């Protein structure tokens, strides 16, 4: 009888152990920003990290003196797989007068990161503005538009809900 009663617990433990072995570690470049684009990736590769999350800021710094194909070679030569990236375009989700310009910036970021082999890109929701019910309806339209743009580059776009944001928290 003891074995019969222990069976569900054993199965639960086995399932948890199985889930833990399928999890992969990816590091975000913000954790090693001081090392720069190439330096952070080289350090992680030496440490055995295989999956990375890139940032626009470090990539932009690298591109001052080098090219996008060189940035891709850094990843491939080190055996790293980029899993997602921070696009660095704030305000994509919220309705405001500068949105057209931000959408254009987002398109450029999608093109840039797609050239590096990425399939996931995200933009934070950092606003603390007050919104009306109509603004929230427009936010849904904006999200669909941004998703359609990302899809043109075979990418999925995600919203990063920051602690201070009032927009996503209220959607």
């Amino acid at each position: 009888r003891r074995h019969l009663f222990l069976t569900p617990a054993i199965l639960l433990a086995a399932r948890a152990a199985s889930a833990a072995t399928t999890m992969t570690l990816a590091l975000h470049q913000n954790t090693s920003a001081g090392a720069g684009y190439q330096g952070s990736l080289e350090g992680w590769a030496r440490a055995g990290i295989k999956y990375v999350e890139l940032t626009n800021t470090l990539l932009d710094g690298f591109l001052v003196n080098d090219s996008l194909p060189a940035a891709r070679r850094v990843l491939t030569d080190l055996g790293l797989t980029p899993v997602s990236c921070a696009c660095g375009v704030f305000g994509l989700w919220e309705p405001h007068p500068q949105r057209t310009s931000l959408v254009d910036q987002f398109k450029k970021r999608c093109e840039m990161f797609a050239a590096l082999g990425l399939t996931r890109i995200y933009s934070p929701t950092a606003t603390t503005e007050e919104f009306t019910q109509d603004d929230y309806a427009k936010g849904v339209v904006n999200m669909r538009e941004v998703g359609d743009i990302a899809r043109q580059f075979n990418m999925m776009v995600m919203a990063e809900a920051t602690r201070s944001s009032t927009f996503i928290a209220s959607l």
Side-chain angles (χ1 to χ4, degrees):
R1 272 194 283 188
R2 277 188 207 165
H3 295 294
L4 180 65
F5 289 121
L6 288 175
T7 301
I10 292 169
L11 289 174
L12 213 77
R15 203 175 286 151
S18 173
T21 60
T22 60
M23 186 178 264
T24 56
L25 172 67
L27 289 183
H28 191 294
Q29 279 192 306
N30 281 343
T31 63
S32 303
Y37 176 82
Q38 187 168 350
S40 64
L41 298 175
E42 288 172 343
W44 295 347
R46 282 192 304 272
I49 302 299
K50 295 291 179 198
Y51 301 97
V52 296
E53 184 173 333
L54 305 177
T55 66
N56 62 295
T57 308
L58 293 184
L59 180 58
D60 288 345
F62 180 84
L63 295 177
V64 168
N65 297 313
D66 227 316
S67 67
L68 204 50
R72 175 126 188 190
R73 276 192 306 277
V74 169
L75 290 165
T76 56
D77 290 352
L78 295 171
L80 298 174
T81 302
V83 294
S84 67
C85 58
C87 73
V89 182
F90 292 80
L92 282 173
W93 317 115
E94 307 88 12
H96 54 78
Q98 300 85 11
R99 189 159 185 291
T100 301
S101 170
L102 296 173
V103 167
D104 290 339
Q105 291 174 38
F106 179 71
K107 287 177 188 175
K108 290 176 186 170
R109 290 297 184 187
C110 284
E111 183 178 12
M112 176 186 290
F113 282 116
L116 295 179
L118 283 136
T119 59
R120 290 180 178 86
I121 189 168
Y122 68 87
S123 176
T125 63
T127 187
T128 56
E129 296 176 42
E130 294 291 321
F131 294 100
T132 67
Q133 194 63 33
D134 290 340
D135 291 333
Y136 288 106
K138 182 64 176 161
V140 172
V141 171
N142 291 350
M143 289 179 160
R144 287 191 177 118
E145 178 189 17
V146 170
D148 289 341
I149 292 166
R151 196 172 303 116
Q152 294 170 19
F153 297 92
N154 296 318
M155 298 182 87
M156 175 178 41
V157 65
M158 302 171 286
E160 177 185 32
T162 61
R163 260 181 245 147
S164 62
S165 177
T166 57
F167 190 69
I168 294 294
S170 301
L171 258 179

